[in-house]
């Protein structure tokens, strides 16, 4: 099982307000060319089901997840119920840090293909981190920054540079062997 974690600081935004934006998964495809589509359905109080299609390598990685929204603790936990991963689960945690908000995304995933784990997992980890960072930064109109991961911060900054023809997450999504 591979773990991925990325933290983004959003200056001057209260964590409760940020929680609402982060939890609006349906708009994510508008914020990243790697995310093909997200369709969310409310299934109960604080509970949604969402279908994700994400470009990965030469194909589309698809899954359905259950999303549990805990507004009191400002967490959104998720777990795949169907899809291309053998296992996929994680949590979004939003915390106040002075006048700022920290958005922490962590997940564990397994493609269920041990012979390809050494090739697929590092690429997927990088794509997850960069895509999540770009989406969160876009949710706050560019007024946010990656914390504690210089490689992701540089990749996100390079993708925002008009002199760079494509972001590394987008390039990763367009290269190699497909997942589906």
């Amino acid at each position: 099982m591979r773990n991925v974690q990325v933290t983004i600081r959003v200056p001057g935004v209260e964590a409760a307000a940020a929680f609402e934006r982060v939890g609006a998964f349906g708009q994510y495809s508008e914020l990243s060319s790697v995310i093909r589509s997200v369709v969310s359905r409310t299934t109960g109080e604080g509970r949604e089901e969402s279908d994700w299609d994400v470009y990965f390598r030469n194909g589309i990685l698809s899954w359905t997840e259950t999303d549990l929204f805990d507004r009191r603790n400002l967490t959104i936990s998720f777990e795949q119920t169907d899809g291309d991963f053998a296992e996929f689960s994680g949590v979004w945690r939003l915390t106040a840090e002075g006048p700022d908000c920290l958005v922490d995304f962590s997940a564990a995933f397994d493609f269920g293909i041990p012979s390809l784990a050494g090739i697929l997992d590092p690429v997927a980890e990088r794509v997850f981190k960069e895509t999540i960072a770009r989406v969160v930064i876009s949710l706050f109109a560019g007024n946010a920054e990656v914390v504690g991961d210089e490689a992701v911060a540089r990749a996100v900054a390079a993708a925002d540079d008009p002199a760079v023809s494509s972001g590394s997450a987008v390039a990763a999504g367009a290269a190699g062997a497909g997942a589906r």
Side-chain angles (χ1 to χ4, degrees), residues 9 28 35 58 72 77 88 123 157 160 174 180:
R9 177 185 313 280
Y28 280 26
I35 301 172
N58 267 354
R72 183 193 322 209
S77 56
F88 180 49
V123 173
D160 292 337
R180 186 175 232 197

Side-chain angles (χ1 to χ4, degrees), residues 18-128:
F19 180 86
E20 298 304 321
R21 287 190 196 176
V22 169
F25 299 138
Q27 67 178 317
Y28 280 26
S29 61
E30 299 168 18
L31 304 172
S32 172
S33 60
V34 174
I35 301 172
R36 182 177 181 211
S37 68
V38 181
V39 176
S40 295
R41 298 169 295 291
T42 301
T43 58
E45 181 65 31
R47 185 180 184 99
E48 289 184 1
E49 190 171 85
S50 54
D51 301 317
W52 294 73
D53 288 332
V54 176
Y55 294 106
F56 181 70
R57 315 231 352 126
N58 267 354
I60 298 171
L61 191 59
S62 298
W63 69 92
T64 299
E65 65 185 42
T66 297
D67 305 305
L68 301 174
F69 294 79
D70 181 346
R71 282 178 171 74
R72 183 193 322 209
N73 293 308
L74 300 178
T75 62
I76 305 166
S77 56
F78 60 91
E79 185 170 358
Q80 175 188 270
T81 56
D82 186 41
D84 291 337
F85 293 98
E87 294 182 48
F88 180 49
S89 61
V91 65
W92 295 85
R93 285 184 179 81
L94 289 85
T95 55
E97 187 175 85
D100 302 340
C101 172
L102 293 180
V103 178
D104 183 72
F105 172 86
S106 60
F109 66 92
D110 183 356
F111 285 110
I113 310 170
S115 62
L116 294 178
I119 298 168
L120 289 178
D121 289 0
V123 173
E125 180 180 349
R126 180 174 44 86
V127 170
F128 268 125

